[in-house]
Amino acid sequence: MSVSTKTLRDAADALVARVDRTLDETGTAFPYFVDDDGSWVTTPNGNWCGGHWIGLLWFARDHVADDRSERFERAAREHTETMRSYMPRESMFCGMNFCYAGFGGYDRTGDRDLFALGLMGADAMIELYHERARQVALGGLDIAGPEQFRGPESDHGPSGHRIGAVDNVYTALPVLWRVYEETDDPTFRDVAVSHADRHLDWYVREDGRTWHHVVFDRETGALERQYNELAHSDETCWARGQGWNVAGLARAYDETRADRYLDALERTVAYYRANSPNDKVPYWDFEAPIDDESPRDTSAAALVAYGLGQLPDVDETYELRSDGGDVLETLLETYLVTDRDAPNYGAIEHSCFNKPGEYATDTEHVWTDYYVARAVERELDQRT
């Protein structure tokens, strides 16, 4: 990886400064994305992504050596309790959020109550798992955004209890891998492997593109259709979905060393590489018509950098890990605000949430900051 240790340390300092200023602004609310006027749009409870903010607070707590550390930890714990009360257990995002807030906090403090929250997230994913479809379903959670998520011309679609999502290979499975490691209960491993294997069948296309959603029959589990919700069309490829896929398959390979996951990962990263601009940060959709107004999506790049960075250091993953390092270097050198006098010092800019719905399409998002922070943290840990 060519990025220097100094660049990584400077990035960590910038990201901590951004967390500090964001906490000043948002207080007990959860930052979501930055509006046109430079202020944070917030949610009262974290909505689908509250664990990212809690994770950033823990990250900041670990990277300061002054009285801010106690402040960041207090805020992380308070936001965790808010999210614990709010988060629907029948949602694919419960696993991710309780993993970040629960195990993320436990690993730093040894607090068994936070450990129990992580276990709760895994149990929720087991309950949401559809055995015949071999999918942890999308479930039920109203994502903050447009009333109809794909925009005014779309319909509301079927129940989330018979929809699967490309995101879930990452949002649902890591908490299952972790709880299997903690308990040796094969139920958690078996569900994770079963879902990951079905993911290969239903979401990864032969040319390395991914589908966003599938619909399955709730009685038989049979596949009914595959479609894209946040892509330009059903024949193109949503960039952030590709990022979720990369992070999820990288974790599946790290946990199992199964060649089928590595093969699919190589294919999807090759597609990402071939269809991204020279700086390796894709547009919001890899194949949508591009003009001067087309937004990039640094959240997709952040997931790729973070995901590939967790691969084991073996010969088979050398090129993939190198790809991840290149993407992280671009994010830090081009998209991270490094001007200490800027009001958004430490922000990762040019992230796209929902282009079809024209919602938060070119701005800073809390989840993008989180995955860059985690990628930086992991790289620094490996060097010390």
Side-chain angles (χ1 to χ4, degrees):
M1 186 176 181
S2 58
V3 61
S4 70
T5 300
K6 182 180 186 304
T7 296
L8 291 166
R9 288 174 176 160
D10 288 347
D13 290 345
L15 288 158
V16 168
R18 186 58 174 155
V19 173
D20 198 1
R21 183 170 290 182
T22 298
L23 182 58
D24 285 342
E25 178 183 339
T26 60
T28 60
F30 287 73
Y32 200 30
F33 64 88
V34 170
D35 210 348
D36 292 340
D37 65 1
S39 64
W40 280 99
V41 172
T42 64
T43 66
N45 47 36
N47 197 248
W48 70 271
C49 58
H52 297 103
W53 176 232
I54 294 167
L56 281 168
L57 289 165
W58 284 118
F59 165 83
R61 176 259 201 187
D62 283 355
H63 283 81
V64 295
D66 53 37
D67 57 5
R68 290 177 298 166
S69 177
E70 182 179 343
R71 172 174 176 257
F72 290 141
E73 177 169 344
R74 183 170 61 252
R77 290 180 179 276
E78 290 171 352
H79 282 80
T80 294
E81 292 312 305
T82 298
M83 193 180 67
R84 185 202 300 262
S85 299
Y86 154 75
M87 177 57 58
R89 301 325 188 240
E90 289 191 349
S91 165
M92 70 180 198
F93 296 112
C94 182
M96 175 186 73
N97 284 302
F98 283 9
C99 187
Y100 290 167
F103 289 127
Y106 167 74
D107 289 342
R108 290 167 164 86
T109 66
D111 185 335
R112 297 297 293 184
D113 185 57
L114 294 174
F115 182 90
L117 184 63
L119 294 178
M120 191 182 302
D123 287 341
M125 296 303 92
I126 296 293
E127 288 297 316
L128 201 53
Y129 177 69
H130 191 290
E131 289 190 6
R132 292 181 176 177
R134 292 166 51 203
Q135 285 283 279
V136 178
L138 188 153
L141 185 150
D142 291 330
I143 294 175
E147 180 184 355
Q148 289 166 265
F149 206 61
R150 195 177 180 179
E153 303 304 319
S154 63
D155 58 37
H156 288 289
S159 163
H161 291 282
R162 64 187 194 99
I163 295 177
V166 67
D167 323 22
N168 248 0
V169 72
Y170 188 75
T171 59
L173 300 196
V175 73
L176 298 176
W177 300 119
R178 174 63 186 266
V179 172
Y180 171 63
E181 176 186 324
E182 296 287 351
T183 66
D184 286 329
D185 184 338
T187 302
F188 299 101
R189 177 203 59 203
D190 293 349
V191 168
V193 169
S194 181
H195 180 108
D197 286 350
R198 181 65 88 195
H199 177 90
L200 300 182
D201 297 335
W202 282 4
Y203 299 93
V204 181
R205 294 187 258 184
E206 195 60 35
D207 63 0
R209 291 182 294 170
T210 49
W211 295 104
H212 181 184
H213 280 318
V214 302
V215 180
F216 56 85
D217 184 280
R218 195 161 185 192
E219 295 301 319
T220 67
L223 176 66
E224 293 185 352
R225 70 184 181 102
Q226 296 150 307
Y227 70 101
N228 289 320
E229 183 172 29
L230 289 178
H232 175 68
S233 75
D234 279 345
E235 296 309 315
T236 58
C237 182
W238 175 43
R240 190 164 68 256
Q242 199 80 355
W244 289 120
N245 168 81
V246 167
L249 290 180
R251 180 65 181 268
Y253 179 70
D254 185 45
E255 295 288 346
T256 66
R257 299 299 199 272
D259 287 344
R260 61 189 182 275
Y261 301 134
L262 183 61
D263 292 344
L265 180 60
E266 290 174 337
R267 196 161 74 249
T268 54
V269 171
Y271 176 87
Y272 177 99
R273 188 190 308 119
N275 291 277
S276 294
N278 290 337
D279 72 356
K280 304 175 183 65
V281 174
Y283 289 93
W284 69 280
D285 183 297
F286 288 100
E287 298 173 36
I290 298 302
D291 58 32
D292 291 342
E293 302 300 316
S294 299
R296 298 289 191 96
D297 188 8
T298 51
S299 73
L303 281 160
V304 168
Y306 166 77
L308 296 180
Q310 69 186 321
L311 285 167
D313 186 0
V314 295
D315 290 345
E316 292 83 357
T317 67
Y318 175 82
E319 185 174 352
L320 292 169
R321 288 183 287 110
S322 179
D323 284 337
D326 289 345
V327 175
L328 179 60
E329 183 174 26
T330 291
L331 288 168
L332 300 184
E333 293 187 350
T334 306
Y335 295 90
L336 171 68
V337 178
T338 56
D339 179 359
R340 293 177 180 270
D341 295 326
N344 63 338
Y345 168 56
I348 306 295
E349 298 185 307
H350 303 300
S351 186
C352 181
F353 186 11
N354 180 347
K355 177 60 176 164
E358 293 295 340
Y359 186 74
T361 58
D362 185 8
T363 187
E364 177 187 5
H365 299 127
V366 68
W367 56 92
T368 309
D369 292 353
Y370 171 80
Y371 289 113
V372 172
R374 287 297 311 279
V376 167
E377 182 178 49
R378 178 185 289 120
E379 186 62 25
L380 283 172
D381 287 346
Q382 291 174 348
R383 295 187 185 193
T384 53

